[in-house]
Amino acid sequence: MFGKNSQKSAPRGDEMRIYISPIMFVMALYFVGVGMAYEFCCSLTAVLLHECAHARVAKKLGYELNVIKLMPYGAALCGDVQLRPKDEVVIALAGPLFNLFIAVAIAAVWWLLPSSYMFTQAFCYGNVYIGLFNLLPVYPLDGGRVMLGILSGKLKRKTACRVMRVISIVFGLAAITLFALSAVSSLNLCLLSVGLFMTVSAFIPDGKVKYRALFAAGNRAERIKTPLQVRRYALSSRALLSDALSSLDADKYTEYTVLDDDMHVRGSFTETQLIGAVKLYGYAESVEKAVNFND
């Protein structure tokens, strides 16, 4: 799960800040007390790997996470700029899919080495639970962020948030109802806590998913203190700024040559011009806007 952070508390530069919810310490003591310290450590490791997957994909797309929040229902990684809807979907899916990949890999090891089952069962189940739970279409879980990203591409962001709020409330009330029905046999407190989490989350303002853009001029100036590889691409004059933006790599500097349908050069631009054009015109304009863009 990745989340938001206020502008006031966001770290500067490459500083990384870690926030651990006090409830996490209470949970740790509880699991140690009931003899489940190993299971707790396995789940915590799965959560951290989940967030590493978010961070890796985010960096590839040009965002950097600089705040880590460890909370009872997982972790949130934050920065300070809003994501494009398409990027929001890709980054959100990275975490749970990586957890499920790990679970499948461990199951394969069981087939090859059955004796490893007793040592890896808790870690495998932890990855399955975290992966599937985060795929629920409830904001701010990853499944909810995927839905929000898809809806934001079709609707106004404000409208998309309202739709997600309704979905979260429905899921939350469903979980609370199942908790009430469980009283017939034995109370399932997990359903109650999950239901309350989903319901309360529906009323938390969305704001912006805040990431730090790796391609911002100030940040790039800091990064070129060490050499960056320069790449050059050719693309059609009919391509959009979003098409060029998707090829950017945070660890390289990119230049572009624009060609017409007859493969004649129409012009060229750098990633600095590209970022400036995107800020001024948006993602849906032709790359020729970048060719003609002056800082």
Side-chain angles (χ1 to χ4, degrees):
M1 179 168 62
F2 61 97
K4 57 189 179 180
N5 183 53
S6 67
Q7 187 77 19
K8 182 178 179 180
S9 61
R12 297 179 180 179
D14 291 328
E15 176 188 355
M16 178 64 73
R17 185 173 301 168
I18 299 177
Y19 168 80
I20 303 177
S21 169
I23 301 177
M24 289 294 293
F25 295 103
V26 176
M27 289 180 63
L29 291 174
Y30 169 78
F31 282 108
V32 169
V34 298
M36 297 181 64
Y38 175 69
E39 288 79 1
F40 177 77
C41 289
C42 286
S43 295
L44 185 59
T45 301
V47 167
L48 292 175
L49 290 173
H50 176 104
E51 301 307 330
C52 285
H54 283 317
R56 177 58 184 165
V57 173
K59 183 176 182 180
K60 189 67 177 176
L61 293 173
Y63 308 94
E64 190 165 19
L65 307 163
N66 52 5
V67 176
I68 299 178
K69 293 183 177 181
L70 293 176
M71 301 174 292
Y73 283 98
L77 303 182
C78 311
D80 60 11
V81 294
Q82 187 173 12
L83 296 170
R84 291 185 299 162
K86 180 181 177 181
D87 291 345
E88 186 168 17
V89 171
V90 175
I91 296 172
L93 285 174
L97 291 183
F98 188 56
N99 285 128
L100 297 177
F101 170 79
I102 292 173
V104 171
I106 293 175
V109 172
W110 292 346
W111 184 75
L112 296 171
L113 192 64
S115 59
S116 65
Y117 179 80
M118 67 174 62
F119 303 107
T120 57
Q121 176 188 8
F123 186 51
C124 180
Y125 289 174
N127 276 283
V128 170
Y129 169 76
I130 291 167
L132 294 180
F133 179 72
N134 272 280
L135 284 175
L136 289 175
V138 177
Y139 189 88
L141 298 179
D142 294 322
R145 291 194 178 277
V146 170
M147 288 284 293
L148 183 60
I150 294 174
L151 291 173
S152 296
K154 302 177 181 298
L155 307 171
K156 292 182 178 180
R157 182 76 177 192
K158 190 173 182 179
T159 303
C161 289
R162 288 176 179 171
V163 173
M164 289 310 304
R165 184 172 292 115
V166 172
I167 294 174
S168 297
I169 292 173
V170 169
F171 271 80
L173 293 179
I176 294 173
T177 301
L178 289 175
F179 162 74
L181 294 175
S182 72
V184 177
S185 53
S186 60
L187 286 176
N188 189 326
L189 294 178
C190 181
L191 283 172
L192 176 61
S193 60
V194 169
L196 291 175
F197 166 74
M198 293 177 176
T199 305
V200 171
S201 295
F203 296 96
I204 297 177
D206 172 61
K208 294 182 179 180
V209 180
K210 298 172 184 284
Y211 280 57
R212 181 157 56 91
L214 289 175
F215 308 113
N219 190 62
R220 293 299 260 171
E222 180 67 24
R223 294 174 68 81
I224 59 172
K225 288 182 178 180
T226 57
L228 283 180
Q229 178 183 345
V230 177
R231 303 182 304 167
R232 193 166 188 88
Y233 287 118
L235 74 169
S236 168
S237 58
R238 293 183 293 177
L240 302 179
L241 292 174
S242 59
D243 298 322
L245 199 67
S246 65
S247 68
L248 291 179
D249 188 319
D251 296 318
K252 298 178 177 64
Y253 190 82
T254 309
E255 298 176 345
Y256 301 86
T257 298
V258 180
L259 305 175
D260 61 20
D261 292 340
D262 295 321
M263 302 301 287
H264 295 144
V265 176
R266 294 284 298 270
S268 62
F269 60 93
T270 66
E271 72 171 50
T272 304
Q273 291 173 291
L274 171 61
I275 297 302
V278 168
K279 289 180 179 178
L280 184 61
Y281 302 112
Y283 301 106
E285 291 290 342
S286 165
V287 292
E288 292 191 346
K289 293 288 187 179
V291 173
N292 301 319
F293 183 81
N294 294 316
D295 296 334

